Amino acid sequence: MPKDDLSLSEARRIALAAQGFDRPRPSRAPAARDVERTIGQLGLIQIDYVNVLTPAHYQVLFSRLGPYRRAILHDLVYRKRRFTEQWAHEACIVPMSTWPLLRHRMEVHRVRPWGFEKFMAQHPEFVDAVLDQVRMRGPLGADDLHHPDGIELDLRKAVPGSWFASTPRAVLEAHFGRGRLAVADRRDDFSRVYDLAERIIPGDHRARDIDGEAAQRELIRLAARSHGLGTAADLADYYRMPVAQARPRIAELAESGELREVRVEGWREAAWLHRDARLPASVDRRALLAPFDPLIWFRPRVARLFGFDYRFEIFVPPEKRKWGCYVLPFLFGDSLAARVDLKSDRATRRLLVLAAYVEHDASEGAVAEALGVELRAMASWLDLDSMVVQSRTRFARKLS
């Protein structure tokens, strides 16, 4: 790909190919190797257990593979240990090989909620006792912890300013963020079970000693591979790295020939093209994208690449929402052509389409037909018996 100037259409196709949307879904039932390959290509999957539709990390795989058994993902992460959880973009599923690349961050991890370090500094005996319990008793969740003798704390209260249900959970999360603990399992209520990192992370990965700059360079390389191309800000955001920290690593990769500076039609900033990026002649895919899909999670890139204004409004008051509560963009060919506000009504086994909108430059009829097929496939995958379109816009009526 010798060109130094790319059209916007070419940039979109490169990005979609890098994210696995240039190939058809498997014609057979997706297997563990398909799931493993997909996560490897993406580099990471953001974990989000909001269950309005189904947890977002399951959706990311469905978008690329179609209906697969969700138990495969659980088995690969928590049984076969092919992947693990760690802070990467946000809380993510990452390959085991990525764990040592994140270790330099674990050493300076900011405990959540912000300011909880003060509690930990005031109660070191309790912080140590939590780690000791896991060491002595094996994998534990927050509810499994015993109240240490001689420590007078009300541990049942929620931690102020956070979604943690208790102080013990916040301490476990702090040890996890700092790399002392790893996630051994997820229970049916989605809560984490923790064990010592040395009992979860393979020894060869724990033994890898990677200095901070080398780790940053490798993370940028992985980001560029999974992007195909992107600006410095795009590449930095993939693993949540400050742009100022990313720029020298980008320069090093450019000097080695792994990245090449290119110009993209309409982009103010230069883009960096990975040397293995592919430019397919066309992309003909249909997929609903989770709000935390890595293709769209950096909103400035979505706007530049697709001309698509996207905001996740679940935390916006209902009266102030523009599109809806849990809105998924719809990939149609190489464009984001529509968006739908979805909800799984598990009591009545229905997939509810609360709202549906088509982009102004898209063909309503063609998009509605393709979106309808995708929604029926998603409903079947979620074990829902029917689909109900509740919105009454013109596009929604076509979809219905």
Side-chain angles (χ1 to χ4, degrees):
M1 193 187 304
K3 297 170 59 175
D4 289 332
D5 293 286
L6 298 169
S7 70
L8 191 55
S9 175
E10 288 172 327
R12 280 199 299 266
R13 282 179 273 143
I14 290 170
L16 288 166
Q19 286 281 308
F21 287 113
D22 62 327
R23 63 172 65 92
R25 288 167 171 164
S27 56
R28 49 172 170 72
R33 65 179 178 275
D34 299 302
V35 173
E36 189 167 357
R37 171 185 55 77
T38 301
I39 302 175
Q41 180 172 10
L42 300 178
L44 70 174
I45 295 182
Q46 183 175 337
I47 300 168
D48 187 81
Y49 276 101
V50 171
N51 210 17
V52 174
L53 182 62
T54 195
H57 46 289
Y58 293 121
Q59 297 174 50
V60 170
L61 294 168
F62 174 82
S63 297
R64 291 154 178 81
L65 299 174
Y68 71 101
R69 290 189 304 108
R70 281 162 281 177
I72 291 175
L73 180 60
H74 191 278
D75 186 60
L76 284 171
V77 179
Y78 308 108
R79 297 292 176 266
K80 295 181 179 178
R81 309 285 194 207
R82 303 292 295 170
F83 303 93
T84 191
E85 295 188 28
Q86 190 46 252
W87 291 98
H89 179 77
E90 290 288 329
C92 289
I93 292 168
V94 297
M96 283 290 183
S97 58
T98 303
W99 193 88
L101 301 177
L102 301 170
R103 185 162 45 205
H104 69 288
R105 295 186 184 180
M106 301 175 202
E107 295 167 357
V108 293
H109 175 74
R110 285 191 66 194
V111 176
R112 301 189 183 193
W114 311 137
F116 191 64
E117 289 99 337
K118 183 177 180 180
F119 170 90
M120 297 178 69
Q122 291 173 339
H123 303 283
E125 71 288 350
F126 176 69
V127 172
D128 293 341
V130 167
L131 200 60
D132 289 340
Q133 285 196 49
V134 176
R135 181 178 293 109
M136 297 298 296
R137 297 171 56 199
L140 298 175
D143 293 340
D144 301 321
L145 291 172
H146 297 154
H147 195 301
D149 293 336
I151 297 177
E152 297 183 2
L153 288 172
D154 185 354
L155 302 178
R156 296 166 297 176
K157 292 183 179 180
V159 178
S162 85
W163 44 268
F164 294 137
S166 66
T167 299
R169 182 177 175 184
V171 173
L172 285 168
E173 289 283 343
H175 284 309
F176 162 68
R178 291 176 172 175
R180 298 164 187 157
L181 298 179
V183 178
D185 202 358
R186 287 273 186 170
R187 290 177 171 158
D188 290 343
D189 62 358
F190 305 139
S191 63
R192 283 170 166 158
V193 177
Y194 305 84
D195 200 354
L196 297 180
E198 63 203 57
R199 297 200 284 240
I200 302 294
I201 309 300
D204 57 337
H205 295 309
R206 287 187 289 106
R208 288 182 66 193
D209 186 15
I210 306 174
D211 69 63
E213 290 188 358
Q216 293 162 10
R217 185 165 53 250
E218 180 64 11
L219 292 173
I220 289 294
R221 187 190 70 80
L222 292 173
R225 184 202 64 187
S226 297
H227 272 85
L229 87 168
T231 65
D234 296 340
L235 301 185
D237 179 75
Y238 208 70
Y239 287 94
R240 286 290 164 89
M241 189 183 302
V243 177
Q245 193 179 82
R247 288 191 188 279
R249 309 290 82 82
I250 291 171
E252 291 161 3
L253 291 168
E255 185 176 356
S256 70
E258 188 144 9
L259 299 182
R260 181 161 60 86
E261 186 175 0
V262 296
R263 291 285 172 180
V264 176
E265 174 191 1
W267 290 19
R268 296 177 60 184
E269 291 187 49
W272 297 95
L273 180 72
H274 193 273
R275 67 183 174 195
D276 296 331
R278 289 172 291 110
L279 173 56
S282 63
V283 172
D284 186 22
R285 279 295 303 271
R286 317 285 190 265
L288 286 160
L289 302 175
F292 305 110
D293 192 292
L295 178 67
I296 62 168
W297 64 27
F298 190 47
R299 310 311 189 206
R301 187 168 190 258
V302 179
R304 268 186 281 108
L305 200 56
F306 295 100
F308 192 83
D309 178 23
Y310 182 54
R311 182 184 182 193
F312 187 47
E313 298 180 303
I314 194 169
F315 300 114
V316 176
E319 67 276 8
K320 294 184 178 180
R321 290 172 185 155
K322 182 177 181 180
W323 304 110
C325 174
Y326 200 84
V327 174
L328 276 64
F330 179 55
L331 176 66
F332 180 67
D334 67 353
S335 66
L336 298 181
R339 64 190 87 204
V340 283
D341 186 14
L342 299 179
K343 177 179 174 61
S344 292
D345 187 344
R346 297 173 184 87
T348 61
R349 298 178 65 86
R350 298 182 302 168
L351 177 62
L352 304 181
V353 182
L354 304 178
Y357 307 93
V358 67
E359 293 297 285
H360 65 88
D361 55 350
S363 168
E364 286 193 2
V367 172
E369 182 176 357
L371 178 55
V373 171
E374 189 68 11
L375 287 167
R376 285 193 292 273
M378 175 169 276
S380 176
W381 175 59
L382 296 176
D383 298 320
L384 303 174
D385 296 332
S386 62
M387 181 180 73
V388 178
V389 180
Q390 296 186 343
S391 175
R392 302 312 302 163
T393 62
R394 186 176 72 176
F395 176 66
R397 289 196 298 271
K398 286 182 179 290
L399 180 62
S400 183

